[in-house]
Amino acid sequence: MPKTVVSFYCDDTNPYVAPPSAFATFLDFVRDEGIAGESTVLLGYEASSKGLLSRPGSDVERSYINQLKRAYSCGIDTHMELMTHGGLFDFAENRIPVDAIHEGVWLFEPGVSVDEYESYFSHIIGEGERIGIRFTGLTQPGCGCAACVSRHRQLSEQGATETNPNMHRALLNLAKRGRFRGKTVPMFIGSGGDVCAARAVAAEGGCAVYDLPPNATDWLGLWLNAADKVDPDYYISEDGQVGRIVDSVRAKAQYCIFYAHWQGLNPANGVGWNAFKTVVHRIGKHLSNEVIWQRPSAYTDGLCVGRTA
Ligand SMILES: [Zn+2]
């Protein structure tokens, strides 16, 4: 009997909204429960005020980096949520220009070349290598600012509703050169729908880039860390009979991937942490024979092995 893969993405992870010890607690829990998922690394999240995490300037940052190095062995993949989760970073000038386009919408810009994307991603990977961090995939940094909303609307009117294929090619080129941890690169673009829609967007020479959208949403507090956005029953009820993950298993879905945000998920001050633990324990109690926890890149590695074209 094929099992439904269960996994998750955790966006916005950083050492500033919660202390590094919170990330250690999260990793310990994932390891001890034998679950798996992904958590982003943002090397330039506070670039304007704190510089780059890859050039640590405080004990908080050094302590957090030590935890990041444990993540993969605990079952956690590492996506780049690009560099800053804000403006495009200027690596030559080591700053974010004031008029910089935001990284999320830049992934959709039709005029950007393979070389431009490849150079930008290569710089991020290089900064990770400085501190011993290897990336497994890419998450689009979502942004609701007026400029991004307006530009997305314009692009949509022009038919550019999907990420630029040059971006996919750049990721593939980097994977082929061994710059990512594995041979496949999963992407989390947009906020996903409710169906399994994994698809290869670029593939060559045993390497591939996959759009791997989540098919369950965030009821673990969102980036707002909002208590009224927490509901473990959305995923699986206490008796294990209903919920998004239960429905996916009953429908024999290939996967159920949910997503969360570090602001709400973190064990230090996240309103969703107890709900997350509850969901994991309920899955273990009611669905352990029907699901398998897997890192996103392990899932796409499996798809790539199964490719016939
Ligand atoms: Zn924006």
Side-chain angles (χ1 to χ4, degrees):
M1 271 287 286
K3 297 184 177 186
T4 297
V5 168
V6 175
S7 195
F8 64 92
Y9 297 120
C10 181
D11 290 359
D12 301 355
T13 312
N14 71 79
Y16 311 117
V17 303
S21 59
F23 194 59
T25 301
F26 165 74
L27 292 178
D28 289 347
F29 177 76
V30 168
R31 179 199 60 201
D32 293 348
E33 294 290 332
I35 67 171
E38 179 277 339
S39 176
T40 53
V41 168
L42 283 154
L43 296 174
Y45 191 59
E46 298 280 353
S48 301
S49 58
K50 297 186 172 68
L52 301 184
L53 189 59
S54 46
R55 326 263 172 141
S58 69
D59 287 343
V60 165
E61 292 176 344
R62 280 182 281 272
S63 169
Y64 178 63
I65 289 166
N66 286 336
Q67 295 304 324
L68 289 177
K69 291 180 186 174
R70 296 174 57 214
Y72 192 79
S73 68
C74 293
I76 292 295
D77 266 358
T78 302
H79 279 202
M80 58 171 78
E81 202 168 350
L82 300 207
M83 189 67 186
T84 70
H85 202 296
L88 214 56
F89 195 73
D90 184 331
F91 285 95
E93 297 287 333
N94 198 36
R95 66 186 179 92
I96 306 172
V98 283
D99 57 348
I101 185 175
H102 285 179
E103 289 177 323
V105 71
W106 179 68
L107 298 176
F108 289 74
E109 285 291 343
V112 184
S113 69
V114 174
D115 284 350
E116 286 171 279
Y117 283 123
E118 196 169 322
S119 171
Y120 196 71
F121 299 148
S122 179
H123 273 113
I124 297 173
I125 290 168
E127 288 295 321
E129 287 167 348
R130 290 176 66 90
I131 51 172
I133 305 297
R134 300 202 72 194
F135 290 100
T136 60
L138 178 149
T139 291
Q140 178 202 354
C143 186
C145 83
C148 285
V149 169
S150 168
R151 185 59 184 150
H152 268 299
R153 191 181 303 120
Q154 283 179 347
L155 289 171
S156 176
E157 286 163 9
Q158 296 166 18
T161 55
E162 302 203 1
T163 42
N164 184 338
N166 288 342
M167 189 273 266
H168 312 153
R169 181 74 216 186
L171 293 173
L172 180 67
N173 289 349
L174 291 162
K176 286 173 67 181
R177 294 209 304 274
R179 300 294 306 281
F180 281 94
R181 186 183 279 272
K183 291 189 171 302
T184 66
V185 180
M187 301 192 307
F188 170 16
I189 305 292
S191 53
D194 58 2
V195 295
C196 295
R199 66 192 173 102
V201 293
E204 192 173 84
C207 292
V209 178
Y210 285 88
D211 184 14
L212 184 64
N215 53 349
T217 188
D218 180 356
W219 277 97
L220 297 169
L222 299 176
W223 64 95
L224 303 166
N225 198 20
D228 64 342
K229 298 296 181 185
V230 176
D231 182 11
D233 294 349
Y234 162 78
Y235 305 90
I236 177 170
S237 58
E238 188 171 7
D239 63 5
Q241 293 304 302
V242 293
R244 186 75 193 104
I245 295 172
V246 181
D247 292 346
S248 300
V249 170
R250 299 283 178 265
K252 304 195 187 308
Q254 290 179 345
Y255 67 76
C256 188
I257 301 177
F258 59 94
Y259 63 99
H261 295 79
W262 187 238
Q263 296 91 334
L265 183 71
N266 84 78
N269 54 43
V271 294
W273 174 244
N274 284 331
F276 176 67
K277 290 196 294 184
T278 296
V279 169
V280 170
H281 291 147
R282 286 178 182 174
I283 290 170
K285 183 176 178 185
H286 298 292
L287 298 175
S288 61
N289 294 326
E290 294 158 283
V291 304
I292 180 169
W293 287 88
Q294 212 168 43
R295 291 176 294 101
S297 69
Y299 180 73
T300 54
D301 280 352
L303 295 178
C304 193
V305 168
R307 277 181 67 86
T308 52

